[in-house]
Amino acid sequence: MSSAAPVVTRFAPSPTGYIHVGNLRTALMNWAIARAGGGTFILRLDDTDRERSRQEYADALMADLEWLGLSWDRLERQSDRMDRYAEAAEGLRAAGRFYECFETPVELDLKRKKLLNMGRPPVYDRASLALTAADRDRMRAEGRAGYWRFLLQQERIEWTDGIIGPVSIDAGSVSDPVLIRADGQVLYTFASSVDDIDMGVTHIVRGADHVTNTATQIQIMRAMGGTPPAFAHHSLLTGAQGEELSKRLGTLSLRDLRAQGVEPLALLSLMARLGSSRPVELAGSIDEIVAGFDVGSFGAAPTRFDANDLWPLTRGVVQALPHEAMADRIAAAGVPPDQSQAFWAAVRANVTRRDDIADWAALVRDGAAPAIDPEDVDFVGQAIAMLPPRPWTQATWGEWTEAVKATTGRKGKALFRPLRRALTGRDAGPEMAELMPLLQRVPDTE
């Protein structure tokens, strides 16, 4: 997707709910194209649905984008542009491209069913084009409210898609789109077309479910005298087994993933490569994601998303953090300041989420109930009695286990595993040489 004009992209969510991983995919692609091209990224709130749009959702989606580091250069609200949509609609009426219709939803449904029963596509029959001014007055007098359709030119609508490749859609196979409802609500297809032309948008990446919308919007934009942007339609996400994901997207909201401890860079790294020809790997920074982003590397086939794939990436982010980045959280977990660096060095290889340090902090502070197999009771009791006096150092674990080995004859797993379980209550964890100096309590093995 290239353009000689300054790059302008947009992410245009409707603030009717919390944004999810599917929304993020669209936002990230448009953001990366703008940043890679040194252009402008517009956050546009498509909030013409006044009944469902809420400020709390707008605030939440902006907070989600800020958390991810996807900054925007302009904030636009469609609700502020109603006069502009009215002006654009009047222009299309004058050009003969807007016409008023009066069918009820029931009547439209009957028409669709009749066409389907005849084996024909359920395309609107344009009956309203034959209405006279008197017909329209009569229908209004009957209490019917008119809604407005865009008159498509019966031709093939073609473009080269940045992901799908060449696309050609016969406008005759598509119903004239409704652009303004009977209650006056300006619909997405129209408002977005007006905005994209007025705002100089040069590139649009969105889901493959919008391909037909793109075809009609190209005609709308041209009818308004505008030049359509370059389009690319990414594949839709499915579940890990290929199942429909849309019903689960509510459980995959960005705010929920954040609450679970997913790292922003992990989420961005996955979504920047998922469904492309390039392997998913943890990026070193958000700038690295921009530098390596290529919308043309993505395919059109449905893309499987498994939230479990976020955890290895999150673990990679957290384990790479320097002590300074974790110091406040370590202090909040109750680790003494003089042990903070040693604590992080000991536990960092055993955390996936930042919150995981709370468990290890509780272990070193409060100790743990020893886990001792019946056959190891006497051995562990003898070993605990041989513990050297404090203070313990990183050499203590080796010195102690050597002494226990010499006394009991145990070695290898039979030596180390029961002692780890006795001191920590766990089968695995940090290196005991690093952890042991931090332990503030010795378990009672009686």
Side-chain angles (χ1 to χ4, degrees), residues 258-313:
R258 174 170 37 169
Q260 293 169 32
V262 170
E263 288 290 320
L265 189 59
L267 185 54
L268 293 175
S269 296
L270 178 62
M271 302 312 292
R273 295 285 184 87
L274 190 66
S276 77
S277 58
R278 307 180 69 185
V280 173
E281 55 189 17
L282 181 61
S285 67
I286 196 168
D287 291 338
E288 186 178 309
I289 290 176
V290 171
F293 184 78
D294 177 14
V295 73
S297 69
F298 288 83
T303 300
R304 296 190 179 191
F305 172 81
D306 186 348
N308 290 325
D309 292 338
L310 290 167
W311 296 115
L313 296 169

Side-chain angles (χ1 to χ4, degrees), residues 150-217:
F150 176 75
L151 182 64
L152 289 168
Q153 293 179 339
Q154 301 296 290
E155 61 186 17
R156 298 205 72 83
I157 306 170
E158 300 179 334
W159 73 93
T160 300
D161 193 275
I163 293 175
I164 300 174
V167 180
S168 179
I169 293 179
D170 179 8
S173 67
V174 181
S175 293
D176 291 339
V178 176
L179 301 188
I180 300 179
R181 293 196 331 188
D183 62 3
Q185 181 182 332
V186 177
L187 297 184
Y188 163 85
T189 306
F190 183 41
S192 292
S193 299
V194 176
D195 291 345
D196 291 335
I197 293 300
D198 287 358
M199 297 175 189
V201 173
T202 61
H203 298 74
I204 295 176
V205 185
R206 56 187 178 183
D209 52 337
H210 283 286
V211 169
T212 299
N213 282 339
T214 294
T216 58
Q217 286 181 309

Side-chain angles (χ1 to χ4, degrees), residues 229-283:
F231 285 95
H233 294 82
H234 60 71
S235 61
L236 301 181
L237 297 180
T238 70
Q241 305 303 318
E243 72 275 17
E244 184 179 352
L245 190 65
S246 59
K247 295 179 182 178
R248 292 184 50 231
L249 285 176
T251 67
L252 295 173
S253 69
L254 302 193
R255 70 198 309 260
D256 287 342
L257 293 175
R258 174 170 37 169
Q260 293 169 32
V262 170
E263 288 290 320
L265 189 59
L267 185 54
L268 293 175
S269 296
L270 178 62
M271 302 312 292
R273 295 285 184 87
L274 190 66
S276 77
S277 58
R278 307 180 69 185
V280 173
E281 55 189 17
L282 181 61

